[in-house]
Amino acid sequence: MAAQVEALTSATGLISLLDENERELQFYGLTQLNAVTDRFWAEISDAISRIEILYEDETFPHRQLAALVASKIYFHLGEFDDALGFAMGAGELFDLTDTSSYVQTVVNHAIDTYIARRASEASDIDPRLEAVVERMFARCFKSKDYAQIIGIAIETRRLDVLEQALVSGDTQSLLSYVQHECVDLIRSISVQEQVQELLFKVHMQFDTPDYEAVCLCLSKLNHPKKTAEILEMLVKDQNEDKILSAYQIAFDLDANATQEFTKAVVAEFEAASAAGDGASTPATQIASILRGDETLKLHLEFLFRNNKTDMNILNRTCKLLDSRQSLAHNATTFSNAFMHAGTTVDTFLRNNLEWLARASSWSKFSATAALGVIHRGQVKHGFHLLQPYLPVDNTSASPFSEGGAFFALGLIHACHGTEKVVTYLQDALVSYQGQNAEILQHGACLGLGAAGMGSGNEDIATAMMNVLFTDSAVSGEAA
């Protein structure tokens, strides 16, 4: 039979069988057409209406076969919506295990259609489409292709399937895969939260949960109280491994969570433990880590010890370029700032005060702001370092230098803005009037944005909005 099919040079004879009155002859014709569709689809497409009539005839016992043949024809014609519609009508005859381009294309189109319908929260999804997707899930579960299941389940918002996949395979590795590879790619915030809640639920099903991963979920869900309770529980047991785990959680939260969240965790943690009594205990150390004190200290020490900057490059650049040109002056200033970022090494600026004094206007602003890049993390000495450049008694003497100092102050305290710094910069937005006020406000807005980044502070947002409403191009750009 296969040899006869291969020997065919035309499908006309097989197509003519569809006009016979005998059901068996029609069935035989469809069977043979199904086998040669890839070769003679152009010829068979002229008879697509006759195939559709057989499918729509409810008395025809082989309607699914007719649907399959019609689906293949529409696939070759590039009509993927029609191809999917008839493939759904083919039922079990549409073999999802087939690796042909036809099956793969129609299945992909089915999944895309299902994703679109689920995303629009449509209530009238075709049950046949859901059946195709369910069969696809079943095939993946059988082959243990959990990564594909997870991807499709998240895209289609099928959290029930996602949970089944997580508990069916290597749960710990799959949880890590979803958390680090999948969640951030979800566009919908509400779906992200639902997935995080599911991850938290699955994590807590273990006898000894991975508390580091659990706290990461809680930080995404903005549950500082639960996070603080876990940290307190780990510290209270006086178990060395648990205390080390609590330290790691604190470092992870400081690196990944927002200022608003870490401050809330510190408040809850200190209220529930003895972290605020001044004694050096694991609890006080955890609170210090969450505030960023330990991380900043380690970063400063590491960057200072590993500073490999070649000063000859900067000195040579400084001599070759005409410092009277603002572009050249800015380029050298930025090069120095980036090369010494976080190292606290400002030797180049101290040794080239004459060159620095040639800066004018916005070049002077950039040169002063560069100090914030170099001394980033020096939160305990920020005001002292910038004292020569900050205005005195709300009186502006050099607006570009002072505006740059405001920005530098924010950069030093970037993501770790203390109440003192934030209040000082907020006051700077309203304390200066006159023609130079917008330059100072420009620097204060940039500094306030850097210091208050991720803090969720509504007062900062309001202060920025008030600057925007002044309709000043210079200060409004920074706000």
Side-chain angles (χ1 to χ4, degrees):
M1 183 66 69
Q4 293 177 358
V5 170
E6 290 294 330
L8 284 175
T9 58
S10 173
T12 304
L14 298 176
I15 294 172
S16 65
L17 293 176
L18 302 180
D19 296 326
E20 297 291 337
N21 295 325
E22 294 291 334
R23 295 300 195 188
E24 292 301 320
L25 291 176
Q26 292 174 336
F27 170 63
Y28 177 79
L30 286 172
T31 303
Q32 298 305 309
L33 288 174
N34 184 48
V36 299
T37 301
D38 292 340
R39 292 170 54 199
F40 300 111
W41 63 268
E43 189 176 353
I44 302 171
S45 64
D46 292 334
I48 188 66
S49 60
R50 282 182 270 179
I51 298 173
E52 290 184 17
I53 289 172
L54 289 176
Y55 168 67
E56 293 169 359
D57 185 357
E58 296 185 359
T59 64
F60 185 56
H62 305 289
R63 295 178 62 222
Q64 291 185 341
L65 179 58
L68 182 62
V69 176
S71 175
K72 289 183 177 180
I73 297 301
Y74 278 118
F75 160 72
H76 286 292
L77 291 172
E79 300 290 342
F80 298 133
D81 287 335
D82 291 328
L84 173 59
F86 282 104
M88 292 189 296
E92 295 296 329
L93 292 182
F94 181 59
D95 186 7
L96 296 181
T97 61
D98 189 358
T99 58
S100 66
S101 60
Y102 158 68
V103 172
Q104 296 301 317
T105 302
V106 173
V107 167
N108 289 341
H109 191 67
I111 293 173
D112 289 341
T113 303
Y114 188 64
I115 290 172
R117 300 293 288 170
R118 293 281 297 182
S120 64
E121 299 182 355
S123 59
D124 57 340
I125 299 177
D126 193 330
R128 299 178 303 167
L129 178 60
E130 289 190 324
V132 171
V133 176
E134 290 292 347
R135 287 170 58 200
M136 183 66 186
F137 282 135
R139 190 194 78 176
C140 292
F141 274 114
K142 186 175 181 180
S143 61
K144 297 183 179 181
D145 191 357
Y146 297 117
Q148 185 171 359
I149 296 172
I150 288 171
I152 298 174
I154 291 176
E155 287 286 341
T156 57
R157 307 186 181 191
R158 289 290 302 274
L159 299 185
D160 56 327
V161 177
L162 176 59
E163 182 176 5
Q164 184 182 352
L166 290 174
V167 300
S168 298
D170 184 353
T171 304
Q172 290 285 14
S173 62
L174 290 176
L175 285 168
S176 177
Y177 170 73
V178 174
Q179 182 67 70
H180 296 101
E181 304 293 337
C182 302
V183 172
D184 291 338
L185 300 178
I186 302 174
R187 295 182 181 180
S188 170
I189 299 298
S190 63
V191 176
Q192 273 195 22
E193 292 179 351
Q194 292 173 20
V195 172
Q196 291 288 3
E197 289 174 355
L198 175 60
L199 295 179
F200 174 74
K201 172 186 172 183
V202 176
H203 272 299
M204 297 307 293
Q205 292 176 357
F206 289 97
D207 294 333
T208 54
D210 181 356
Y211 287 113
E212 294 174 23
V214 169
C215 288
L216 180 58
C217 290
L218 292 174
S219 69
K220 302 291 185 181
L221 292 169
N222 196 27
H223 288 324
K225 186 173 182 179
K226 289 184 179 179
T227 306
E229 289 173 354
I230 290 175
L231 289 172
E232 183 195 4
M233 179 268 294
L234 292 173
V235 172
K236 187 167 59 176
D237 287 348
Q238 298 296 318
N239 180 284
E240 184 177 357
D241 290 338
K242 290 186 177 181
I243 291 175
L244 291 175
S245 179
Y247 287 154
Q248 184 60 55
I249 290 170
F251 277 116
D252 289 343
L253 291 176
D254 178 52
N256 299 307
T258 63
Q259 276 195 78
E260 180 183 19
F261 183 81
T262 53
K263 287 180 179 179
V265 172
V266 170
E268 294 284 352
F269 183 68
E270 289 182 338
S273 63
D277 61 3
S280 180
T281 63
T284 58
Q285 290 177 327
I286 288 172
S288 176
I289 294 170
L290 287 170
R291 282 191 290 266
D293 299 341
E294 301 300 323
T295 304
L296 291 175
K297 188 189 305 180
L298 292 172
H299 283 176
L300 287 170
E301 181 182 350
F302 175 83
L303 291 171
F304 179 78
R305 284 191 305 163
N306 293 276
N307 179 26
K308 308 296 182 183
T309 303
D310 187 350
M311 295 296 296
N312 290 326
I313 296 175
L314 286 171
N315 291 328
R316 183 71 173 165
T317 302
C318 181
K319 291 178 180 179
L320 290 177
L321 295 178
D322 186 356
S323 60
R324 290 172 296 182
Q325 295 182 0
S326 61
L327 185 61
H329 199 285
N330 269 339
T332 308
T333 298
F334 292 144
S335 296
N336 173 57
F338 293 143
M339 292 167 75
H340 291 100
T343 63
T344 71
V345 178
D346 55 6
T347 308
F348 174 76
L349 297 177
R350 295 180 185 277
N351 293 341
N352 294 275
L353 293 177
E354 182 182 351
W355 171 84
L356 192 62
R358 297 174 190 166
S360 61
S361 301
W362 290 106
S363 294
K364 186 177 292 186
F365 181 98
S366 299
T368 312
L371 289 171
V373 179
I374 295 171
H375 292 283
R376 190 216 181 282
Q378 285 271 55
V379 293
K380 292 183 179 179
H381 309 289
F383 277 101
H384 175 72
L385 290 167
L386 296 173
Q387 196 64 46
Y389 309 98
L390 292 170
V392 179
D393 297 329
N394 292 337
T395 303
S396 175
S398 177
F400 287 102
S401 179
E402 291 160 352
F406 288 149
F407 188 16
L409 186 64
L411 290 173
I412 289 175
H413 294 81
C415 297
H416 295 87
T418 61
E419 184 177 354
K420 178 182 177 182
V421 171
V422 171
T423 302
Y424 176 80
L425 292 173
Q426 281 181 298
D427 291 341
L429 289 178
V430 297
S431 298
Y432 301 96
Q433 304 295 330
Q435 60 180 358
N436 294 325
E438 60 182 11
I439 301 171
L440 296 169
Q441 288 178 345
H442 184 92
C445 283
L446 292 175
L448 194 57
M453 192 182 304
S455 65
N457 190 326
E458 293 186 5
D459 292 337
I460 294 179
T462 302
M464 296 288 193
M465 289 296 295
N466 291 335
V467 174
L468 279 175
F469 293 150
T470 62
D471 291 332
S472 168
V474 176
S475 56
E477 180 187 20

